Amino acid sequence: MSLDQMLFGAYALPFMSRALVAMLALALVAGLIGVLVNLRGLEFISDGLTHAVFPGLAIGFVAGGEPGLVIGATVAAVIAAVVLTLVSRAGVASDSAIAIVLTGAFSIGVLVVSGGSDFAGQLETLLFGRLLTIDAETIPLLLTVCALALALAWGTRSRQLFRAFDPVGSEAAGVKPLATDLVLNVSIALVVVAASSTVGSLLVLAVLIVPGAVARLVTTSLLALFPIAAAFAALASWLGLSIGFGVSVGAGVDLPGGSTVVAVFVAGYALVLVGRLLVDRARGRAIRGAGAGAPQRSVADAGGVVA
Amino acid sequence: MSYFERALVAVVVIGAVSGLVGSLVVLRKRVFFAQALTHGTFPGAVAAAALGVAVPIGAAVASVVLVGVMLLVSRVRSQGAQVAAGIVLTGGFALGALLQALLPDLPIRAESFLIGSILTVTEADLLVSGGVLLVVVAAFAAFGKELLFSTFDPQGYRSAGYRGWPMETLALALVAAAVVSSLPAVGAILAIALIAAPAAAARLLMPTVGWIVLVAPLIGAASGVAGLVISREFGVAAGPAIALVACGFFLLALAARGVRRVHPRSLHVPVETAEEAIAR
C-alpha cells in the first residue's frame, strides 16, 4: 500500500471518514476543554467521569435498549459531575474521594452488565470504543453534544481562566466558584457521554489530557495554547487513523482503531517532551531545582524525589 | 485448600497490604499516582502472559518503568504530577490494548486483568502477596517514623537533616508492590478502590496516624472477605463486589463523622479577619 493511499485514499471509505469527522470534532474539544482541564488540573476528575458514566450506560441499556444508552449515560454523567464538583470543593482528601466515587460507580456498572451474556464484549467496547464502526446516525448526535459542551466552556472562558490562575482573586472579583466549576465539569461530562458510546472512554480521556499537556510544553503564551492543542489533536488523530488503517489492511494485523490513535497521541507527547528537554538543556535551565519554590501544580514534593 | 478458601486467604492478605499502603497513598495525596500505576501495569501484565512469565513479574517491571517516566515528566516545567499520571494512564492502557490485539493467542482473557479474577488465584499468587505483606510490614516497622515524618512535614523532615528521596522512593516502591499484588483480586480498574477507600475511611474516624495505619488494613481485609462472600451468595463478579464494600466502608465512615461533628472540639474556628473571610 502506498503512503498516499494510507494518508489520503483511505478516507474515501465511509467508515474511515466517519471516524475522522468524529476525531476532528474531538480535536476542537481538546483545543478548548482539554486546555482548561490542564490549566485547572482536572485530569483526575476527567478520569473519574469516564468511569462514572459506565453504570449509566449499563442501566440505560438494560432499561431501554440501544436508545437508552445515551439517556442513561447523560443522567449518570451529570450526577457524577455534580457529585465530583461538590466532593472536590469539600477539600478534605479530595483525591481519595474522587477515586472512591469513580470506582464505586464503575463497580455498579460492572455488576449490572455482569448479568448479561456478552459481559466482556460490553466492557471492552466501553473502554476501547468502536471508532471504526460508528453508525452514520450517531455522528450528528456526537457533533451536537460536542458543540453544546464547547459552547458552555466558551461562554465561561474568561471566568475559567481567571479561576485557573488566581482562585482567590477571581472569587473576590465576584466569580462564583461553584457555578464556574460546575459548568466546566458538566461540559467535560457531556463530551465524555458523547464520546464514550462511540470512541470509548480511553480515547476521550487521552483527548482531554494529552493535547493540553503538549501545548503547555510548546508555548508559554496563553492564547497560543488553544490552537496548538487543537492542531496537535487533529494531526495525531489523522496520523493514528492512517497508521491503524495501513497496518490493518496492508500488513494484515488487526489493530484496534481507538488504541492506535491514543498510542500516537502519547508518542507525539513523548517526542515533544524530548524536544522540550533538549531545548531547555541547551538553554541551561533544563530541570527545576530540588523543590525550591515549586509551584503548586508541580505537586507533591516531586522536587524532593530525585534531589 | 479449596478454591474458595484460597480466595479467602488471598483477599485477607491483599486487603491488608492495600489498606496499609493505602494509608501512605492517602496521607501523601498520591491517589492519582497510584491510579495511573494500576492502569499502566496493564501492558506489563499482557507482555508477561505472552512471554509465559508470571503476571506479577511483568506488572512489577512495568511499574518500575512507569514510576521513572512519571518522575521525569512531573519534574518538567509546566507539566506536573497530574499530567504525568494522566499520560502514563492513557498511554499504558492503549499499549496494553495494542499488545492484546497484536498477540491474539494469550492464555488469559483481558477482562481478568481489568476487573480481576480472585477465584482463580493460584498458590504462587498467594506466595507473592504474602511476601509483599511481609515486606510492607517490615518497612513500616523499620522506617515507620521516618515515613510518617516525611509525609506530614516534608520541609521539616529535610530541615531536620534527613534527605527526602530515600523515603519517597520507599513509599513509591511500597505503592507499586501493593498495586502489583492487588491486581489478581480486583483488577487494574478497581484496585484503586481497595487502596484508597479503607485508608480514607480510617482517616475520617481515627484520631491519630498510628490508628489509621492499624485500622486501614483491617478495613481492607474485611472488605475483601465481605465482598467475596457477597459474590458467592448473590452470584455476582467478585472484583466489583469487593470494591463496592470498600466504598461502603468509606460512606459509613463519612456518615459516622457527620454524626460526631456536633462534638464541640471539632467545631470550626471562627473567621478572624476580613481577608480570611474572602479567602474562604
Side-chain angles (χ1 to χ4, degrees), chain B residues 20 32 35 40 54 62 68 74 77 93 97-98 106 109 112 132 149 153 178 180 199 226 236 238 265:
Chain B
L20 199 52
F32 194 32
Q35 165 82 340
S74 64
R77 185 191 285 269
F93 235 53
L98 283 181
L106 285 182
R109 290 187 308 168
S112 71
V132 170
F149 188 4
D153 188 1
V180 168
V236 292
R265 213 178 52 187

Side-chain angles (χ1 to χ4, degrees), chain B residues 12 52 132 138 147 216 224 226 249 272 275:
Chain B
V12 167
V132 170
L147 269 176
F249 273 112
E272 296 279 329
E275 209 178 354

Side-chain angles (χ1 to χ4, degrees), chain B residues 62 79 139 184 190 201:
Chain B
Q79 294 299 290
L190 297 174

Side-chain angles (χ1 to χ4, degrees), chain A residues 14 16 36 39 78 88 218 260 281:
Chain A
M16 286 299 286
L36 289 176
L39 293 175
V78 172
S88 61
V218 172
T260 313
R281 182 143 297 170

Side-chain angles (χ1 to χ4, degrees), chain B:
Chain B
M1 263 197 294
S2 77
Y3 75 95
F4 191 73
E5 288 164 356
R6 219 167 27 226
L8 265 183
V9 175
V11 289
V12 167
V13 173
I14 290 169
V17 170
S18 304
L20 199 52
V21 174
S23 54
L24 271 188
V25 172
V26 167
L27 294 173
R28 292 176 92 95
K29 300 210 189 324
R30 290 299 195 135
V31 179
F32 194 32
F33 172 90
Q35 165 82 340
L37 268 188
T38 60
H39 283 51
T41 49
F42 180 42
V46 175
L51 293 172
V53 191
V55 166
I57 295 175
V61 172
S63 65
V64 170
V65 174
L66 295 181
V67 169
V69 171
M70 280 196 273
L71 286 182
L72 174 75
V73 173
S74 64
R75 298 190 77 224
V76 174
R77 185 191 285 269
S78 87
Q79 294 299 290
Q82 282 251 13
V83 173
I87 299 277
V88 164
L89 190 155
T90 49
F93 235 53
L95 195 59
L98 283 181
L99 274 179
Q100 264 189 328
L102 292 174
L103 312 161
D105 307 321
L106 285 182
I108 310 174
R109 290 187 308 168
E111 69 273 13
S112 71
F113 291 132
L114 297 178
I115 61 160
S117 60
I118 188 70
L119 293 176
T120 59
V121 74
T122 62
E123 314 250 321
D125 291 336
L126 273 188
L127 283 179
V128 170
S129 32
V132 170
L133 179 63
L134 283 182
V135 170
V136 171
V137 170
F140 266 84
F143 302 108
K145 199 175 67 179
E146 288 85 352
L147 269 176
L148 295 175
F149 188 4
S150 66
T151 298
F152 281 100
D153 188 1
Q155 261 114 44
Y157 184 75
R158 283 197 288 272
S159 326
Y162 296 100
R163 274 188 298 182
W165 67 265
M167 280 309 123
E168 179 69 20
T169 312
L170 178 62
L172 295 184
L174 293 180
V175 173
V179 164
V180 168
S181 73
S182 67
L183 281 182
V186 283
I189 295 178
L190 297 174
I192 196 66
L194 202 49
I195 291 172
R203 190 191 164 174
L204 282 174
L205 293 182
M206 292 301 129
T208 65
V209 183
W211 279 103
I212 296 178
V213 171
L214 271 181
V215 168
L218 295 179
I219 298 181
S223 309
V225 172
L228 200 56
V229 170
I230 288 173
S231 122
R232 186 164 78 160
E233 293 301 312
F234 296 96
V236 292
I242 294 172
L244 268 185
V245 172
C247 295
F249 273 112
F250 175 75
L251 288 181
L252 275 182
L254 206 58
R257 195 191 62 156
V259 171
R260 220 177 48 171
R261 220 179 203 173
V262 291
H263 193 282
R265 213 178 52 187
S266 57
L267 280 180
H268 284 297
V269 180
V271 174
E272 296 279 329
T273 63
E275 209 178 354
E276 282 174 42
I278 291 168
R280 261 159 204 260

